[in-house]
Amino acid sequence: MKIVTVLGARPQFIKAAALSRELRKRHQEVLVHTGQHYDYGMSGVFFDSLEIPPPDVNLGVGSGNHGAQTAAMLAGIEEVLVKEKPDWMLIYGDTNSTLAGAVAASKLHVPVAHVEAGLRSFNRRMPEEVNRVVADHLSRLLLCPSQTAVDHLAAEGIRDDVHLVGDVMLDVLNWAKERAAPKSAQTLAQLGVKQGEYLLATIHRGENTDSPERLGAIVRALNALEETVLFPVHPRTRKAIAASGQQLGSHVRAIDPLGYFEMVTASAAARLILTDSGGLQKEAYWLGVPCVTMRDETEWVETVAAGWNTLTGADCDQIVQKVRHFVPPSARAALYGDGRCAARCATLLQ
Ligand code: UD1
């Protein structure tokens, strides 16, 4: 069986790490990198450290407005599909690369398999929400991380070939935790932080970075905190903060984006995580680290229901109060599967 996989952005490289390994045991995979993320720290480092095979094709699309970026991807992916004539198109998550893969393949009648299907924030102002709704409706095989996701699809009339497989990020986290552990003391020393004595923050969502009010409130909150904040900064966030003219307090340590192993170590050792990322909300849960999510809603509602994640929006006082006082319960049930999602996806594709 031949599968064309489309990747483009950091979280997709992480997800593909588990499934590519599994697929290549039995099938031919043609890996297409759209080039949406192109900095070594946002892309190459993940291929190298997570042992993802190098892309067969790199479309080199780069950054741009949504229309231009997605259109360039569509044209490039179409060419690959015409040449390769695969049995499946495999897409991950909710980025513009996901959308382009889904649209290009469905126009050429190549069946689409969507990993992380069925997530909804019910906020259509997020580009990710638009991407995932379209991708799900064009997909033939829907691989869902949670029962909530299965239910969302059913509510939209998608009931055939919907499977609850768990979350492929848990497979990758388990794999990486073992490998990161022997170096964790060294990594924390290099980052200049001590186990349990700092906060880890990430911000990159357009809804936060592209709004001066929201970004301003988040930066004010980080500056108001008493603890060391380790802050690996996404390139778009770095530009937005620089453009806003705001200064980060000296306890906020803005560093370049981290590789996956370093990020796993930094997450596991943090006292608390502050984020607007989707993946990090789950990783915080799996690692048993309390999470404050600086968004108005989340797709990962189970982490909130379990009491380990709390939403603050971009409200400065809320963020500060929650960081100071949020205490999850001692119990933490298993969420999003058992870490064997990739094998299940490979079997379903077969
Ligand atoms: C994308 C996804 C988002 C995902 C995120 C992970 C969409 C709509 N959004 O957002 O869902 O959570 O990836 O990081 O697809 N840039 C660089 N170097 C890079 C990549 C980006 O400098 O390697 C800068 C550029 O200024 C660019 C900006 O970051 O304009 C935003 O990049 P973009 O491709 O729009 O996606 P993300 O914001 O990363």
Side-chain angles (χ1 to χ4, degrees), residues 9-11 35-43 62-64 66 69 73 94-98 127-128 131 204-206 209 234-237 239 277-278:
R10 185 167 58 175
Q36 179 170 353
H37 286 175
Y38 42 88
D39 289 348
Y40 182 75
M42 296 291 289
S43 172
S63 302
H66 288 278
Q69 188 186 48
M73 292 175 188
D94 55 17
T95 73
N96 288 346
S97 300
T98 313
E128 292 85 357
N131 293 342
H204 77 277
R205 290 277 169 193
T209 57
H234 187 292
R236 76 182 296 154
T237 312
K239 285 176 201 162
S277 149

Side-chain angles (χ1 to χ4, degrees), residues 6-36:
V6 171
L7 307 174
R10 185 167 58 175
Q12 293 167 328
F13 310 140
I14 297 167
K15 290 164 197 164
L19 192 42
S20 277
R21 235 190 305 284
E22 198 62 38
L23 288 178
R24 283 167 190 243
K25 288 181 188 165
R26 282 176 277 175
H27 306 294
Q28 184 191 353
E29 185 185 40
V30 178
L31 212 55
V32 179
H33 188 325
T34 61
Q36 179 170 353

Side-chain angles (χ1 to χ4, degrees), residues 11-12 15 92-99 114-116 119 126-132 135 205 299:
Q12 293 167 328
K15 290 164 197 164
Y92 293 91
D94 55 17
T95 73
N96 288 346
S97 300
T98 313
L99 175 69
H114 186 199
V115 175
E116 217 177 70
L119 295 187
M126 291 174 68
E128 292 85 357
E129 182 77 354
V130 176
N131 293 342
R132 54 172 95 97
R205 290 277 169 193
E299 300 78 22

